[in-house]
Amino acid sequence: MATAGFPRKSVDVAGVNLTVPAVGRPVCVNGTPWILYLLEECVDNVWEYCSVVIGLVSMFCFLLSTLPQVYEAYRNGKVEEAMSFGFLIFLFSGDLTSFAGCYLTSQLPIQVVTVVFYIFTDLILVSQFLYYKIKNSSSRKSPFLKWMCFMWCGAASIILLALPKLLIDNSPTLDTQSPPTSRSVEITGYICGYLASVFYLCSRFPQLYKNFQRQSTEGTSYLLFALAMMGNGTYGLSVVVVLPALRGSKQSFIIKHLAWLIGSLGVLLLDFFVTLQFIMYRKNKSAKSCKPLSIPEVEPLLCEEVELSML
């Protein structure tokens, strides 16, 4: 999934304190208090407010998108037959590089926390895939495998809960570095953003091929792709909505967000093809479920005369 972000205006962002400005930043007098506190962004007009609200809807869709697939895999226990491992690996790689891009370009703290949550859900999906693959390929039950899975998920949860705080406290401040270092770090961050877009786009092709190969989408949850489509669509809308209120150059603003826009809108397009597969292969699924049960023929009962003669 592409990372949901909020269009930033570096000249308008103030510190959380409304009276004492941060170094080099103006005081946010007419900004919306809850947005200023939560996102550290000064929003003082309806266009920017709509952009932030749509961005939050996008983020909420992404946060929920993987949960239906986790439940579906738990319910049927055959996730390795339905999901493509390439899809999971590309998705995980995209979130990792997107996280690196957010960190190096000093994006908002809520964005960093959200990307860490994405990585956590990716780890759950990958772990679940490997667990059922090993379990279903083994002829006997292994309690050790289950304990290893619980320990892995527990350790990953503890690390990822502590990671956002550590990263936000030690995030690189581009303004205090020397200009060449600041510029190189920022460029590296945007390169990571473009890499993330490539990974996100590549993630859909293995799953599309897997569905085509099986001629079925059984075992995969459509809500995973439906919520991702909603998230990607609302993210693109949140960037477009803020353009009328933009005080700086619209061209440079679009270029700054181009990597994430390519990833979001490109994945949105590919997810339409996944939707078509769900519609096309639903007939196959319904045909399987409606197939009449073959009842074996029962030998007719012996007639009464034969039964009496056998007594």
Side-chain angles (χ1 to χ4, degrees):
M1 64 206 74
T3 303
F6 299 93
R8 300 192 66 190
K9 308 174 294 306
S10 57
V11 295
D12 297 329
V13 179
V16 177
N17 192 327
L18 296 178
T19 56
V20 182
V23 178
R25 292 178 178 179
V27 177
C28 183
V29 178
N30 299 319
T32 307
W34 69 268
I35 296 178
L36 184 64
Y37 177 78
L38 182 63
L39 305 177
E40 298 180 9
E41 185 171 353
C42 188
V43 172
D44 55 6
N45 61 71
V46 66
W47 295 106
E48 294 169 357
Y49 187 86
C50 288
S51 175
V52 171
V53 171
I54 296 171
L56 286 172
V57 171
S58 172
M59 188 175 291
F60 187 70
C61 290
F62 281 127
L63 290 176
L64 293 180
S65 62
T66 55
L67 299 181
Q69 183 57 44
V70 170
Y71 172 73
E72 180 69 20
Y74 172 77
R75 189 181 63 84
N76 60 41
K78 294 182 179 180
V79 63
E80 80 282 0
E81 296 179 7
M83 297 291 291
S84 168
F85 191 61
F87 166 71
L88 297 177
I89 288 299
F90 278 122
L91 192 65
F92 181 58
S93 302
D95 286 334
L96 277 179
T97 48
S98 180
F99 163 71
C102 286
Y103 178 66
L104 293 175
T105 54
S106 297
Q107 295 298 313
L108 297 171
I110 193 171
Q111 288 180 255
V112 178
V113 174
T114 306
V115 179
V116 171
F117 183 86
Y118 294 159
I119 294 172
F120 176 65
T121 54
D122 291 342
L123 286 174
I124 291 177
L125 286 174
V126 173
S127 301
Q128 199 176 36
F129 180 93
L130 295 175
Y131 171 76
Y132 282 111
K133 188 171 182 65
I134 296 171
K135 180 184 176 183
N136 294 335
S137 62
S138 177
S139 57
R140 59 180 184 177
K141 294 183 178 180
S142 175
F144 177 73
L145 178 63
K146 186 177 290 187
W147 278 109
M148 282 293 294
C149 183
F150 281 131
M151 289 175 63
W152 161 250
C153 291
S157 301
I158 294 171
I159 293 171
L160 290 172
L161 283 173
L163 191 59
K165 178 65 176 174
L166 294 173
L167 290 172
I168 292 169
D169 290 343
N170 300 288
S171 60
T173 307
L174 299 179
D175 296 334
T176 59
Q177 297 175 357
S178 59
T181 306
S182 171
R183 187 64 179 165
S184 63
V185 169
E186 191 175 9
I187 290 174
T188 305
Y190 286 117
I191 290 173
C192 288
Y194 280 103
L195 278 176
S197 297
V198 172
F199 284 130
Y200 288 136
L201 290 171
C202 290
S203 68
R204 266 38 181 190
F205 292 105
Q207 189 61 43
L208 284 167
Y209 177 72
K210 182 86 171 180
N211 295 339
F212 174 76
Q213 194 177 34
R214 296 190 308 141
Q215 293 291 297
S216 172
T217 56
E218 191 175 359
T220 55
S221 173
Y222 180 64
L223 281 175
L224 168 67
F225 300 97
L227 288 169
M229 289 174 70
M230 289 178 62
N232 284 316
T234 49
Y235 172 71
L237 184 61
S238 70
V239 175
V240 174
V241 162
V242 81
L243 289 176
L246 200 65
R247 297 180 180 87
S249 170
K250 291 180 173 60
Q251 185 177 359
S252 61
F253 178 82
I254 292 294
I255 291 173
K256 266 189 173 182
H257 293 83
L258 186 60
W260 287 272
L261 280 172
I262 290 173
S264 294
L265 300 181
V267 170
L268 176 63
L269 178 63
L270 291 175
D271 280 341
F272 276 112
F273 291 101
V274 178
T275 302
L276 287 176
Q277 285 187 326
F278 272 89
I279 295 171
M280 290 167 55
Y281 300 145
R282 184 177 57 183
K283 297 177 182 178
N284 299 346
K285 185 178 179 181
S286 60
K288 287 180 182 178
S289 61
C290 296
K291 187 177 179 181
L293 296 173
S294 57
I295 303 174
E297 294 184 3
V298 180
E299 291 291 333
L301 294 174
L302 296 174
C303 61
E304 190 175 345
E305 293 89 357
V306 177
E307 286 181 352
L308 290 173
S309 64
M310 291 176 66
L311 293 174

